Amino acid sequence: MKISVWATVVVVCLAPWCAHAESACPRPEPGSVVKEPEDLRSQNGVLKAQLTATNAAQADGTIRYCYTDATGHESPNLRVHPGDLVILHLVNKLTDKGHGSGGTMPAHTHVHAATNPCTSGIMSPVSTNLHFHGLTIPPICHQDDVMKTSVQPGDAPFEYRFKVPENEPPGLYWYHPHIHGFSKEQLLGGASGALIVEGIERAKKAAAGLPERVFIIRDQDLVNPKAPPDKSEPVVPKNLIDVDGDTANNGTGFGTPAKDLSINYVPVPYPAYPPATIEMKPGEKQLWRVLNASAITYLNLSVLFNRAPQPLGLIAMDGVPMNLNDPLKDSVDTQTHIGLPPGARVEFIVDGPAEGVTGLFVTRTVDTGPGGENDTNRMLAKIVASPHAAESGAKLESSPVPLPPPSEAWLGGVSPVRVRHLYFSEKLADPNDPASAIEFYLTVDGQTPKMFDINSDIPNIVAEQRTVEDWIIENRSSELHAFHIHQLHFLLLQYMEHDVHENFLRDTVNVPYLTGRTLSYPSIRVRMDFRDPNMIGMFPYHCHLLEHEDKGMMGTIRIVPPASKQSPASDTTAADHSRAKSSSTGSALRK
């Protein structure tokens, strides 16, 4: 296929802060009005687009990353319908800028342009690829493989071609690079975008006819790392610094954060946190789709009017409508704050403030543990009510045809064929300093903890397609971790050994940190759904704090066709079955 027809546009940054920086990947100034990402929509069942990966060194030594479409728009929304064919041509224009915000391989790594992108497995500062987070598509080259697929500068445009499953739940997904060892660096630089499977109003009546907004919250290295906290903050203890230079969690909600945040690229820098501006018509009801595209930052979102938390009508998590099996499709889960680990998404209905009332969109502090980063209270945006606010660029169908009932039984009602045990753990440089982790592990119980080896073709777990399993995941470290698995969604069954009764699925979930005050390790229990044939192949599961993933906190699972013989080393053991019988009490604390 000839690709010469794809246009290339050079984007020039005219803002004052770009005077000493390269022109690629421009950013708005603090306090700017939040603009919606450009929408690229499928036409006649096909979405065809080009994304160019670019980076640009900044005067402060940081490196920006972005994907631009054929007309120069950064991180466009990819809008598709179930059953659509997606054809994306990925062009790698990355150049070697040095270490930037930190990689684990030499920045001068030489890459040969003639290497086969499907098999090279090259993981370097100038390599890139795409992961379609949350979609149930095959983990193979040209679709959603991140274990070997790697596109280098000088390669011909690389084609991603896949079909969105007919039964893919409508909601918010996203795309981002997944280059092991450099995921954190590229995501901190801004390489991410939203992917929307249309039709959520067909699953949730309350969303019908609403204007929608897409808000992508990203983190980035601090613009003012040496600045003292604002004087309006209360006095806080002296901050601890971990081995990577991030401010450790001080437990107050104040002080220096680990990272700055932005909303649709509008930065909200420490220490003053000048908020971005979200404009709405007075009292207008909207659907907000919010993506936490941060590399390491947890969010705890609220909307405040005159400091009072406002009701948020939660209708979807991680791209899956809540209570998908509700035949009336009209339930709304009202919350006043919503926690989002890195990689997670939420969709909720919010009413705009009355004219003359200014609202705030904020994130409150998250307790990440003694070894975790400091995620502070801060504003993201002020919400300004104005009759002159621009109309939303996207509006949901007002009279949708309801989705047909699911073809598969509800996951919560399917018995698991086995129970597996996994755990997060870390190696500390100083056993007395919980913030000194230098190696990160995600281990199947019974295997030896070790950093993930991207060059290994041996999976940690083998499971059969058409089966369902329960996984108990413990945290044996003193910092919060976010468990994520590719290709599928799971059901959270237990949190800290207490039953939960969620009516929706996730692909990312927190695992609480070890305090030393309990007789068992903190844990979650999730029901893993391997029934879909699209997931046959090998793919990873990992902590979605990408610094942890880059430094080894990842494993792989291979899904084999039904009735295939599994590797004896990966089969469930008798000890697993024995523990499954007593799983409601959790695992005993082991030295």
Side-chain angles (χ1 to χ4, degrees):
M1 178 181 294
K2 294 183 178 180
I3 309 298
S4 59
V5 296
W6 296 95
T8 300
V9 175
V10 177
V11 182
V12 179
C13 176
L14 301 178
W17 41 263
C18 289
H20 303 289
E22 296 182 21
S23 60
C25 305
R27 301 289 190 259
E29 292 200 54
S32 298
V33 173
V34 176
K35 302 295 185 182
E36 300 291 312
E38 187 75 7
D39 285 326
L40 300 184
R41 298 178 181 273
S42 62
Q43 302 291 332
N44 300 317
V46 179
L47 173 62
K48 187 174 183 180
Q50 176 170 303
L51 294 176
T52 299
T54 310
N55 59 349
Q58 304 304 300
D60 61 2
T62 60
I63 302 175
R64 290 180 186 162
Y65 290 79
C66 60
Y67 290 121
T68 54
D69 67 11
T71 56
H73 295 106
E74 286 189 59
S75 303
N77 297 329
L78 305 180
R79 289 184 174 269
V80 297
H81 294 83
D84 279 353
L85 175 65
V86 177
I87 304 171
L88 296 177
H89 290 103
L90 176 61
V91 179
N92 187 344
K93 294 292 186 182
L94 299 179
T95 55
D96 192 342
K97 307 293 184 184
H99 284 288
S101 56
T104 58
M105 295 184 181
H108 60 271
T109 303
H110 178 70
V111 177
H112 194 280
T115 304
N116 183 350
C118 282
T119 59
S120 74
I122 295 172
M123 303 289 157
S124 80
V126 294
S127 304
T128 197
N129 58 16
L130 287 172
H131 169 47
F132 302 99
H133 185 123
L135 289 184
T136 307
I137 56 178
I140 60 177
C141 190
H142 299 289
Q143 298 202 44
D144 195 32
D145 165 63
V146 298
M147 310 304 296
K148 298 295 183 184
T149 301
S150 180
V151 182
Q152 312 310 318
D155 283 351
F158 181 79
E159 183 175 273
Y160 283 90
R161 177 185 289 259
F162 61 87
K163 184 177 179 181
V164 180
E166 295 281 358
N167 61 348
E168 193 73 69
L172 178 60
Y173 300 79
W174 64 302
Y175 61 92
H176 62 86
H178 208 290
I179 296 295
H180 185 62
F182 299 92
S183 296
K184 173 193 171 186
E185 179 177 350
Q186 295 191 16
L187 224 63
L188 276 176
S192 57
L195 189 156
I196 298 164
V197 177
E198 304 280 22
I200 194 168
E201 69 276 21
R202 299 181 62 195
K204 306 298 295 187
K205 282 183 180 179
L210 294 183
E212 57 176 304
R213 310 290 294 272
V214 177
F215 296 129
I216 304 174
I217 300 171
R218 302 174 173 91
D219 58 4
Q220 62 186 54
D221 288 329
L222 294 175
V223 174
N224 305 302
K226 297 181 180 180
D230 260 11
K231 293 181 180 180
S232 59
E233 287 191 359
V235 176
V236 297
K238 183 179 179 181
N239 295 321
L240 301 174
I241 305 296
D242 71 20
V243 293
D244 296 303
D246 297 329
T247 305
N249 181 37
N250 60 35
T252 67
F254 299 97
T256 307
K259 300 295 175 188
D260 279 336
L261 293 176
S262 68
I263 178 168
N264 289 7
Y265 288 126
V266 179
V268 188
Y270 164 83
Y273 302 126
T277 301
I278 295 174
E279 295 181 337
M280 298 177 69
K281 294 186 183 299
E284 182 179 41
K285 191 183 295 290
Q286 293 183 348
L287 173 67
W288 285 14
R289 304 183 191 259
V290 183
L291 158 62
N292 184 0
S294 298
I296 66 170
T297 304
Y298 292 87
L299 302 176
N300 185 5
L301 302 174
S302 288
V303 172
L304 310 177
F305 296 171
N306 297 325
R307 298 190 176 184
Q310 299 302 296
L312 307 177
L314 186 60
I315 64 170
M317 288 288 295
D318 287 353
V320 180
M322 302 181 70
N323 207 4
L324 190 62
N325 292 319
D326 174 14
L328 300 179
K329 298 180 171 54
D330 57 2
S331 59
V332 173
D333 185 3
T334 301
Q335 302 287 337
T336 56
H337 67 98
I338 300 170
L340 277 191
R345 291 87 65 211
V346 65
E347 294 164 83
F348 57 84
I349 296 168
V350 62
D351 292 322
E355 192 167 3
V357 175
T358 298
L360 290 177
F361 186 32
V362 306
T363 179
R364 297 186 179 278
T365 187
V366 176
D367 181 5
T368 63
E373 287 82 8
N374 196 32
D375 292 341
T376 59
N377 296 304
R378 58 189 116 174
M379 295 180 288
L380 295 170
K382 58 183 179 181
I383 306 169
V384 178
S386 168
H388 306 294
E391 296 284 347
S392 173
K395 194 170 186 178
L396 299 170
E397 189 177 348
S398 57
S399 300
V401 176
L403 285 178
S407 57
E408 294 275 15
W410 169 240
L411 184 58
V414 180
S415 297
V417 299
R418 62 177 55 86
V419 177
R420 299 188 194 266
H421 291 70
L422 297 83
Y423 60 92
F424 291 106
S425 62
E426 301 174 356
K427 178 180 178 180
L428 303 179
D430 178 358
N432 297 315
D433 180 3
S436 67
I438 53 175
E439 293 184 3
F440 297 82
Y441 317 118
L442 178 48
T443 309
V444 177
D445 204 7
Q447 298 179 9
T448 301
K450 60 182 179 180
M451 295 173 66
F452 176 72
D453 180 6
I454 189 65
N455 296 311
S456 175
D457 291 323
I458 302 174
N460 299 96
I461 294 173
V462 175
E464 285 193 7
Q465 187 258 323
R466 293 187 186 170
T467 65
V468 167
E469 298 185 353
D470 279 7
W471 289 12
I472 296 172
I473 305 169
E474 296 175 344
N475 189 348
R476 302 183 185 181
S477 77
S478 60
E479 66 175 308
L480 193 63
H481 294 296
F483 175 80
H484 168 61
I485 187 167
H486 291 211
Q487 320 312 135
L488 62 100
H489 287 78
F490 51 78
L491 176 65
L492 179 64
L493 298 173
Q494 291 181 344
Y495 189 86
M496 291 292 286
E497 302 180 11
H498 295 287
D499 290 343
V500 297
H501 303 282
E502 294 189 343
N503 58 5
F504 60 95
L505 305 180
R506 303 172 181 259
D507 60 40
T508 309
V509 67
N510 290 337
V511 185
Y513 63 86
L514 179 64
T515 64
R517 297 191 295 269
T518 59
L519 296 178
S520 61
Y521 290 114
S523 66
I524 63 170
R525 183 178 182 129
V526 293
R527 183 151 295 166
M528 311 297 287
D529 190 354
F530 304 132
R531 292 176 292 179
D532 197 305
N534 277 327
M535 64 185 64
I536 290 176
M538 191 163 83
F539 51 89
Y541 52 86
H542 57 85
C543 177
H544 217 286
L545 275 75
L546 296 186
E547 178 177 62
H548 299 174
E549 176 211 307
D550 284 341
K551 293 183 178 179
M553 196 167 263
M554 184 157 74
T556 53
I557 180 171
R558 176 175 287 141
I559 304 299
V560 297
S564 294
K565 186 176 181 180
Q566 295 185 16
S567 167
S570 300
D571 283 345
T572 304
T573 65
D576 288 323
H577 287 293
S578 175
R579 280 195 299 265
K581 295 179 181 178
S582 59
S583 61
S584 61
T585 61
S587 300
L589 183 61
R590 292 180 286 274
K591 299 288 186 180

